Every structure is written in C-alpha cells, then in structure tokens.
Amino acid sequence: MKGRVAKEKAEGAWKGKYRCAVTFSVDVDCESLWCGTFKLTTPSPLSRGEFGARAGVPRLLELFEKYEVPASWFIPAQTVEERPETCEAIKRRALRPDIAYHGYYHESVLNLPLDEERDLMKRGMKVLGEFFEQVPRGNRSPPFALGPNTADLLEEFGYTYDSSLFGHDEPYRPRVPYAKGRLRNFVEVPVCWELDDAPYFMFNFFPYMSGFCAPSHVSEIWKAEFDGSYANGACFILVLHPQVIGRYSRMQMLEDLIRYIKKRPDVWWANHLEVAEEWKRRQVGKGLWK
Ligand SMILES: [Zn+2]
C-alpha cells in the first residue's frame, strides 16, 4: 500500500519528486522589436533595443548565475547577426541554455504565405544552429501570435514545443486550427500577458502599453501566480525582455521573486525544453499522449 501511494505520488510529480516547476524565458529581441514589429528605424527607438544588449542581458546573466537559474532564450536570427557579442555571452555564461526560435526579423507570421514563413524559419534556424551549436526545438512567434501555418511548420521541422498560445496556465497539447483542429505533435508551454514584463513596464505610444508600473505592483501579481502554481503542483512560466526588465528597479524586484521562490522546497527549476519533455513524458506514462 505504502509503495503504491509513493508510486502514485511520484507519477504525479515533476521528475518524480518535485511539487512544482518554474521556468523562465528571455526574449532577446534587441533592435528587431523596433524595426521588425513596430517598423521604427530611427536611432532613438532602435537604441531602446540596444539597452537590452548593453545592460539587460549582462544583468540577467549575472542574476541567473548568482541563483543558478536556467532559462530558455528566444532569439531572432537578426539579433545573432547584429549582436554576436551578446549572443556569445549567453552561449558562454547561461546555465543549460535552451536556444529557441523567435522569428528571423521578429516578423509577424499572421499574414505570411506558407512558403515565405518556411523559408524564414529554415534560414533563421540555420543561423541559430550554427552560432549556438544546437538546433532550436522551441518556437515563440512574435509577439505571441502563432500564424495559421506555423503549427504545420513546427511539426515539419520537428519542434518539441511552442510557446505562443494562452490556453492554460500549465503545459498542454494544443489543437490547431483552434478548438476543432487536430491535436498537435508538440507541447504548448503557454504564455500570458500577466506573466510578461512588457505590458507592465514597456512604455509605448499605444494605449494598451502605458508602461511605468511600480515594481511592487508586479511583484504582488507574480508572487501570487507562483503561489497558485505551487499549491496546484503546476508550472510557473515567466517571460522577460532584457530591454524591459533590465532597469535597476525591476532587476531588484526579479531578484526578490527568485529568492521568494527559492525559499520553497520541492521546486524544479528548468528551461522550457526540459519542462516540455518532462510534461510529455508524464502524459505518455499515463497513456494520455497517443
Ligand atoms: Zn519578442
């Protein structure tokens, strides 16, 4: 009896022993956000992306080194071409880095013809693969917007997971096209605007991105979300942008959050790829992934 209870408990746990998973991702957009998404090509908006390379990435790397935090790094191919020294630092210093695809130019794929999206993905994956010496196995379509053809391409290229959809607050297997489409062959590591630094902090000339939130306000939400994930044996998934979170006040808040989570026992710190593989393994084990 005791053995069976222990076995069931282990099957329900992450890696057979952890109560909760915590996984961070870093979108290393740099200038590509401003020219690719917002079509702004003058020096001042581009230099906001430069802040991510100069200040944000080094500060995140230092913080993650201090607390041994692994992460997934979503990197547009343009960032590799324009910021090789930043990418070199990630390659050299990040703990178990999972290098994931994030568009070639941070382009929207919503209206891209299939052939064009395939060509960009193929070329972008090659750039990442050659630089980091690992083939990307995760995708995040900028800006959290999976295109109508993207799921097919992810299966064609053998991706393990996507991280662009909002359908749950823990990993799941998505259906694409939405709702009545077939179950896809990859794991969704879902995102949400609540657990993304940009809507809170990134000032922009759009009404929905006013930015300038007090870090204490965001800290309250993020800690409560982690508490919920912990209580439910789920997965806390946080998205960060070096050019946004990299300010001193926000880095302090992030350090405080890491310390808060580190006080809890039984937490598995993993990158998104590890989470996706583990979640799939558990589904297969329970006969739920066929
Ligand atoms: Zn991005």
Side-chain angles (χ1 to χ4, degrees), residues 209-224:
M209 272 196 192
S210 53
F212 305 138
C213 243
S216 57
H217 173 81
V218 180
S219 174
E220 189 183 329
I221 297 169
W222 288 1
K223 283 178 179 171

Side-chain angles (χ1 to χ4, degrees), residues 272-284:
H272 286 16
L273 178 60
E274 291 164 338
V275 163
E277 285 177 330
E278 167 64 4
W279 187 82
K280 183 176 175 181
R281 187 191 64 76
R282 287 165 65 196
Q283 297 302 300
V284 170

